[in-house]
Amino acid sequence: MGLLTIIKKVKKKEKEMRILMVGLDNAGKTTIVKRINGEDTSSISPTLGFNIKTMQYNSFRLNIWDVGGQKTLRSYWRNYYEQTDGMVWVVDSSDLRRLNDCRHELHGLLKQEKLAGASLLIFANKQDIKGAMTPQEIARVLNLEVMDGSRHWQIIGCSAVTGEGLLAGFDWLVSDIGSRIYMLE
């Protein structure tokens, strides 16, 4: 019995998923994690390093690694790739001047071998802000079509502040990971 088989059996019993939450600083990662977990989002400061949030979602236990996105921290992201089942890439849809940087960082992440099998959810956050780009526009700017067929991915517009779109995104992510790891329908 191979190591992968053992890992799958252990995960199957615990129904646990490891989610890596990444994106540029100020995209809304921590606000999303707190909102989805029903916590207060009124005062959030920049994440220096990382936060781990473990929570029940449907019949799964999610371990969400919320990693700081400041430029000085991005070289450390690779320390969090091990055994990642799903990635949530959060984009500030209203920060047009940093979208090229956002695309560059995302594509760098997608080249990482340790993340090759991970499902990818892209949250086009801050849809509640006037002038925010639509998820379709974000998908075009981020050049997501290069992944067609090579990775399971989905882009969903959301607002971490209002909560709109967050459940749809996590439902897709958990379902996609579940169908790969736990052979769920």
Side-chain angles (χ1 to χ4, degrees):
M1 187 162 39
L3 183 59
L4 193 59
T5 310
I6 293 168
I7 290 170
K8 280 188 177 183
K9 281 187 175 175
V10 168
K11 283 190 173 193
K12 189 172 195 158
K13 194 173 72 189
E14 296 178 358
K15 285 204 168 180
E16 204 169 86
M17 296 179 179
R18 181 178 162 123
I19 311 293
L20 181 64
M21 191 87 152
V22 279
L24 303 187
D25 50 305
N26 200 36
K29 299 176 294 295
T30 303
T31 306
I32 288 172
V33 172
K34 287 184 175 272
R35 169 72 59 199
I36 202 89
N37 202 35
E39 295 176 44
D40 179 26
T41 59
S42 57
S43 64
I44 293 175
S45 52
T47 302
L48 302 172
F50 66 95
N51 297 309
I52 302 173
K53 178 62 68 182
T54 300
M55 57 190 255
Q56 280 301 124
Y57 191 88
N58 297 340
S59 61
F60 296 96
R61 193 160 108 199
L62 305 185
N63 294 314
I64 301 175
W65 292 68
D66 171 17
V67 183
Q70 294 89 335
K71 202 171 196 123
T72 54
L73 299 174
R74 294 177 200 160
S75 62
Y76 297 102
W77 285 353
R78 67 181 177 278
N79 298 324
Y80 304 99
Y81 297 165
E82 206 68 45
Q83 294 181 324
T84 294
D85 299 312
M87 286 184 294
V88 179
W89 180 263
V90 183
V91 180
D92 179 342
S93 304
S94 70
D95 190 356
L96 309 183
R97 62 183 179 76
R98 292 207 306 165
L99 282 174
N100 284 336
D101 193 17
C102 186
R103 178 182 59 235
H104 172 77
E105 294 292 351
L106 173 61
H107 285 275
L109 208 63
L110 296 174
K111 291 178 182 146
Q112 301 301 315
E113 196 176 315
K114 288 181 179 172
L115 297 173
S119 303
L120 173 66
L121 168 62
I122 297 139
F123 269 137
N125 192 21
K126 306 192 184 183
Q127 291 294 308
D128 53 317
I129 295 178
K130 191 175 183 329
M133 293 179 79
T134 66
Q136 294 75 15
E137 291 168 325
I138 297 278
R140 206 169 30 256
V141 172
L142 294 182
N143 198 20
L144 297 180
E145 67 276 358
V146 300
M147 290 188 295
D148 279 350
S150 64
R151 178 183 300 274
H152 291 222
W153 67 275
Q154 181 72 262
I155 184 166
I156 293 182
C158 75
S159 166
V161 172
T162 67
E164 185 184 342
L166 298 183
L167 290 177
F170 274 91
D171 284 349
W172 175 84
L173 185 64
V174 166
S175 164
D176 193 69
I177 295 168
S179 67
R180 280 189 301 105
I181 295 179
Y182 303 110
M183 313 327 175
L184 304 174
E185 299 313 307

